[in-house]
Amino acid sequence: MATVDSSSIITSVSPQNPQHGFNPELLSTVNLDLRGQRFRVDRDTLMNLPESVLLCLFPNGLVLSRMEGDEEEYQYVVDFDPNCFTFIIHFFHRARDDFYGTPESTTAAPFTAQSALVDPSNPNPTEFTGSRNPILTKQAIIVLREELEYFAIPPSGSQTNFTNEKGLANDEHLALKVQCGLKLLEKRSIFTALQRNVNKENNVAEQHLIDMLCMSGFDREDEWGYRAIEPNRCCISSIALVLLKTGIIHTDNGEVSVDSHQMGTAQKLLLFWRKPARKCWWDGVEVDVPVKGGGLNPETCTVKLWARRVWTLELSLI
């Protein structure tokens, strides 16, 4: 199990100064109930998940030891999309097996060849092949998440009344919000909204962020790997996972070389290892949605949306 510092959201009972009634042995598996869907996850898999995802799963921390004599397995009830969790787990499993190999593998795993680059007996180590470069011996994954909270402004002059006698949203307004969410859900391109903000504000730092991500594994035309509307909320959660492009080249004869320029770019992403970075901005868009009796057109109307987008960028090493 990886060492976790005191600032981590994952906590466990210390084996020092044991108290009566506690078993110092850590749980090997954790039982999760994600919105009614149950998962049984081994501890190592859970600990390898991105810090930002773990914070969503366990905002109050996770205790990995059990009270002595407790025969029933504790189950964590978590308000997190089970399909998104499945997407993350499957991606991490594939990435781990591709890098470290499996018992059924017939070819040498990249980990075996790359480990030779950090051989302490190597007389000519470089800044990219030294023992302090974790990218050589770990599978690196870029984690990009977006939380999009949207606010629908009903069209002026509409023939439909969107509020009740108390001024609160009525069924027509709620239906409008659902339709707006479905329209936003169709917009799966990752960088369109951020690029629009760059063009509007001429923000050099944001343009550099897009360029760096596209050099490190993303493509400018990439779409979110998983995207869904949160239940009973005007919020859309999205996540994209890609393997970090490290510049490590494996030849057919088993030799390994390193593109120093690409490795230098990859090492910049180490700033986000265990340190998720967040960016928030407002985005205004218009969508055409079907509304009964809306505007001059009885089938559709144009709705102005204000969207608050929060991006979380993180690097995971497994």
Side-chain angles (χ1 to χ4, degrees):
M1 177 178 141
T3 302
V4 181
D5 57 34
S6 58
S7 63
S8 173
I9 62 168
I10 303 300
T11 59
S12 61
V13 176
S14 172
Q16 300 178 354
N17 301 323
Q19 301 179 13
H20 177 72
F22 281 89
N23 185 349
E25 183 179 356
L26 296 178
L27 297 172
S28 59
T29 59
V30 179
N31 296 299
L32 304 176
D33 182 334
L34 275 63
R35 297 176 181 172
Q37 188 169 336
R38 297 183 178 182
F39 294 84
R40 186 177 178 86
V41 186
D42 64 84
R43 183 182 68 243
D44 292 338
T45 297
L46 196 63
M47 295 294 289
N48 278 328
L49 293 181
E51 194 84 3
S52 59
V53 174
L54 289 172
L55 183 60
C56 293
L57 292 171
F58 310 105
N60 298 319
L62 171 64
V63 178
L64 291 176
S65 60
R66 181 190 305 170
M67 292 284 293
E68 184 177 354
D70 186 3
E71 300 298 335
E72 296 186 3
E73 294 185 340
Y74 186 80
Q75 183 168 269
Y76 290 87
V77 179
V78 181
D79 183 18
F80 192 82
D81 189 336
N83 294 324
C84 182
F85 184 74
T86 301
F87 171 78
I88 297 171
I89 290 292
H90 285 176
F91 188 97
F92 271 66
H93 278 173
R94 290 195 305 270
R96 179 198 61 195
D97 293 344
D98 290 345
F99 186 74
Y100 295 101
T102 64
E104 296 78 20
S105 300
T106 58
T107 58
F111 168 77
T112 303
Q114 292 175 203
S115 296
L117 295 176
V118 293
D119 186 348
S121 63
N122 184 357
N124 299 309
T126 68
E127 60 177 312
F128 301 120
T129 61
S131 59
R132 294 186 178 181
N133 186 358
I135 296 177
L136 295 175
T137 55
K138 298 287 186 180
Q139 178 70 289
I141 301 173
I142 305 177
V143 182
L144 184 61
R145 300 175 57 238
E146 181 189 68
E147 295 292 326
L148 188 162
E149 188 175 8
Y150 65 91
F151 304 87
I153 303 176
S156 59
S158 172
Q159 298 176 7
T160 302
N161 184 13
F162 291 100
T163 58
N164 57 23
E165 62 278 2
K166 296 182 179 180
L168 303 177
N170 56 18
D171 292 341
E172 286 77 11
H173 197 173
L174 296 177
L176 177 72
K177 292 181 179 181
V178 172
Q179 292 298 326
C180 290
L182 294 176
K183 283 293 182 180
L184 288 175
L185 194 64
E186 297 174 357
K187 302 180 183 297
R188 299 186 60 87
S189 177
I190 294 176
F191 297 107
T192 297
L194 184 58
Q195 189 65 61
R196 183 166 57 243
N197 195 53
V198 170
N199 298 338
K200 177 183 177 182
E201 305 290 341
N202 193 26
N203 192 311
V204 178
E206 292 179 354
Q207 185 62 60
H208 177 68
L209 173 63
I210 296 175
D211 295 339
M212 181 180 66
L213 290 175
C214 291
M215 290 179 62
S216 302
F218 284 98
D219 186 89
R220 295 183 187 276
E221 304 302 321
D222 273 349
E223 297 183 345
W224 294 106
Y226 182 81
R227 186 171 173 86
I229 301 177
E230 292 292 318
N232 302 318
R233 294 178 59 196
C234 292
C235 182
I236 297 176
S237 297
S238 307
I239 188 169
L241 305 171
V242 297
L243 298 181
L244 177 65
K245 190 181 295 183
T246 60
I248 301 174
I249 304 169
H250 293 260
T251 61
D252 294 336
N253 59 6
E255 296 182 355
V256 181
S257 61
V258 179
D259 182 331
S260 59
H261 178 71
Q262 184 63 54
M263 177 60 77
T265 301
Q267 287 186 309
K268 294 179 181 179
L269 270 297
L270 285 174
L271 293 172
F272 305 102
W273 178 32
R274 294 179 178 172
K275 297 178 180 179
R278 289 177 176 82
K279 171 178 175 52
C280 175
W281 77 98
W282 286 91
D283 185 33
V285 295
E286 291 184 346
V287 294
D288 294 326
V289 298
V291 176
K292 182 179 180 181
L296 298 178
N297 190 327
E299 297 181 354
T300 64
C301 68
T302 300
V303 180
K304 181 73 173 180
L305 295 178
W306 285 106
R308 181 177 181 270
R309 299 176 185 266
V310 180
W311 271 24
T312 303
L313 175 63
E314 183 179 358
L315 184 73
S316 288
L317 298 180
I318 60 176

